[in-house]
Amino acid sequence: MDDLKAKYLDLIAGAGDESALEELRVQAVGKKGEISLQMRELGKMSPEERQVMGPKLNALKDEINSALAAKKAALADAALDERLRAEWLDVTLPVRPQRQGTIHPVSQVWEECTAIFADMGFSVAEGPQVETDWYNFDALNIPGHHPARAEMDTFYMHRAEGDNRPPHVLRTHTSPVQIRSMEQGGAPTRIICPGRVYRADYDQTHTPMFHQVEGLAIDRDISMANLKWVLEEFFSAYFGTKVKTRFRASHFPFTEPSAEVDIQCSWENGTVKVGEGDGWLEVLGSGMIHPKVLQAGGIDPNEWQGFAFGMGIDRIAMLKYGIPDLRAFFDSDLRWLRHYGFSALQVPTIRGGV
Ligand code: PHE
């Protein structure tokens, strides 16, 4: 028995891994193991012999089992130590510098507009950028021969020869969304539509793609007074200071009467300041929705009336954030984006300063 004990304790001490250890366990104390077989021999012994040998064998088995368990724990510890050594990592090292993108001024101002108009009960509507000429023109009371069609420098989608469907255009303004949201929601309604629009034009203040936000409010008794209040409220919130507006009579086929709206500003050494001084700056077109436009949107002009306006997002972004050249908005120059862009965590101000 001493031989058995010495043999197995030796083997166990030398086991290199868990599977070697398991083999030893089977070999020694498994069902057909060497020690188990010895225990079976007890049955053949005389009671006196058994009384001596039984406890000794049991003690041996216990000793082997605990040696196995201890070795198993030691192997696991060693494996963990090895992993800790191998996977060691210096958490005090400085992080690699990460290039962070910025929020484009157009996105920022888009969000600011949405937030301010949402405060006044306007929800956001959307429409397609590739539009039928019916939504972009006809439904807005701009018939085929109307000069406004030519004036807008419209991009027409290519048509294969012999394809005689009515033309699709890149929308020249966000006004077609007026019609779409009238069709969808009926009256009363209060929506804005920020989005991309397209005109073939390119200089310091014009790019072939730019952004507008359309506004639309329809109810039984909406008037120009509501329009003026909403716009003054908007500009004051947006610029963070009380801003006066000036309405100039104008003409749009889809509004009657129509007005172009200027905001109060001062010019000092070539920089514009909104909300002070006695200068004026044109920022949008507006008016009372033409009865024919309501009709085209499926709304009865004898029951309902409303105002609409369309404003350049890029333009008011330039004014608020002092950006001189519109073309740079779309050059994707990283230096420009880092300079004029906003941090993602910079929540749009909707009552800045006031
Ligand atoms: N759609 C006009 C434009 O792009 C602006 C406008 C919108 C005018 C709504 C009146 C009413 O110039």
Side-chain angles (χ1 to χ4, degrees):
M1 220 176 301
D2 284 342
D3 286 351
L4 268 180
K5 176 175 161 182
K7 171 182 163 190
Y8 280 109
L9 289 185
D10 225 39
L11 285 170
I12 289 169
D17 56 34
E18 270 198 54
S19 66
L21 203 59
E22 175 61 12
E23 257 172 53
L24 284 172
R25 190 191 63 78
V26 173
Q27 205 184 320
V29 295
K31 246 189 205 157
K32 290 181 183 159
E34 220 172 338
I35 295 170
S36 311
L37 290 178
Q38 292 287 331
M39 292 181 97
R40 250 180 253 171
E41 297 294 310
L42 288 172
K44 297 176 191 158
M45 292 179 190
S46 68
E48 293 77 22
E49 274 181 313
R50 204 181 303 148
Q51 240 170 22
V52 180
M53 292 302 285
K56 281 196 173 175
L57 269 172
N58 269 324
L60 174 60
K61 192 178 168 190
D62 287 348
E63 202 171 339
I64 298 295
N65 272 327
S66 51
L68 283 165
K71 182 66 181 178
K72 192 170 174 174
L75 283 173
D77 274 356
L80 181 62
D81 281 346
E82 183 49 37
R83 248 189 86 193
L84 287 173
R85 233 191 322 280
E87 293 176 17
W88 182 83
L89 167 80
D90 185 354
V91 293
T92 66
L93 279 175
V95 294
R96 286 192 196 93
Q98 262 195 355
R99 297 251 158 156
Q100 291 221 320
T102 57
I103 304 293
H104 195 284
V106 169
S107 305
Q108 180 81 9
V109 168
W110 180 312
E111 292 300 324
E112 292 177 20
C113 289
T114 307
I116 296 169
F117 283 112
D119 257 10
M120 295 190 269
F122 288 78
S123 53
V124 173
E126 277 182 306
Q129 295 173 47
V130 176
E131 194 48 288
T132 63
D133 69 342
W134 189 79
Y135 279 110
N136 195 77
F137 295 121
D138 300 82
L140 291 163
N141 195 31
I142 313 175
H145 58 266
H146 198 283
R149 288 211 187 195
E151 273 165 29
M152 278 192 171
D153 304 309
T154 311
F155 286 112
Y156 284 86
M157 302 304 285
H158 176 72
R159 280 274 189 265
E161 210 170 321
D163 182 345
N164 293 322
R165 285 177 299 160
H168 276 81
V169 301
L170 290 180
R171 68 178 179 199
T172 56
H173 50 182
T174 42
S175 299
V177 185
Q178 288 188 31
I179 307 294
R180 290 181 175 276
S181 50
M182 285 182 213
E183 285 176 341
Q184 273 165 26
T189 189
R190 234 184 295 176
I191 57 117
I192 58 160
C193 165
R196 294 182 167 183
V197 301
Y198 303 83
R199 292 179 202 176
D201 211 350
Y202 191 69
D203 60 36
Q204 200 184 340
T205 51
H206 296 93
T207 49
M209 187 281 296
F210 59 104
H211 300 82
Q212 287 188 333
V213 56
E214 192 83 6
L216 181 73
I218 301 174
D219 212 321
R220 296 188 188 277
D221 54 1
I222 296 264
S223 72
M224 291 287 273
N226 299 125
L227 172 64
K228 183 157 172 111
W229 182 85
V230 163
L231 289 178
E232 288 199 347
E233 193 70 7
F234 168 77
F235 286 120
S236 300
Y238 177 73
F239 288 106
T241 178
K242 181 94 194 113
V243 178
K244 282 191 194 137
T245 61
R246 183 174 75 172
F247 280 51
R248 275 180 298 103
S250 181
H251 175 78
F252 300 102
F254 32 93
T255 45
E256 182 58 39
S258 302
E260 275 173 317
V261 177
D262 303 338
I263 53 176
Q264 175 198 11
C265 70
S266 71
W267 297 89
E268 263 167 45
N269 330 313
T271 55
V272 196
K273 280 207 184 118
V274 175
E276 59 177 60
D278 47 13
W280 297 98
L281 211 92
E282 186 195 321
V283 283
L284 62 86
S286 66
M288 296 301 291
I289 305 166
H290 196 291
K292 283 191 178 169
V293 173
L294 288 168
Q295 241 157 9
I299 290 177
D300 182 357
N302 295 311
E303 263 192 70
W304 305 97
Q305 58 187 36
F307 67 69
F309 61 84
M311 175 165 63
I313 292 183
D314 322 80
R315 185 156 172 69
I316 62 167
M318 291 168 80
L319 282 173
K320 179 166 175 179
Y321 295 112
I323 310 173
D325 190 331
L326 177 66
R327 289 171 297 195
F329 272 63
F330 311 114
D331 283 346
S332 300
D333 183 329
L334 278 176
R335 292 162 303 176
W336 188 92
L337 290 167
R338 289 205 190 101
H339 181 78
Y340 288 111
F342 296 82
S343 146
L345 298 177
Q346 213 165 332
V347 179
T349 55
I350 61 167
R351 291 276 179 248
V354 170

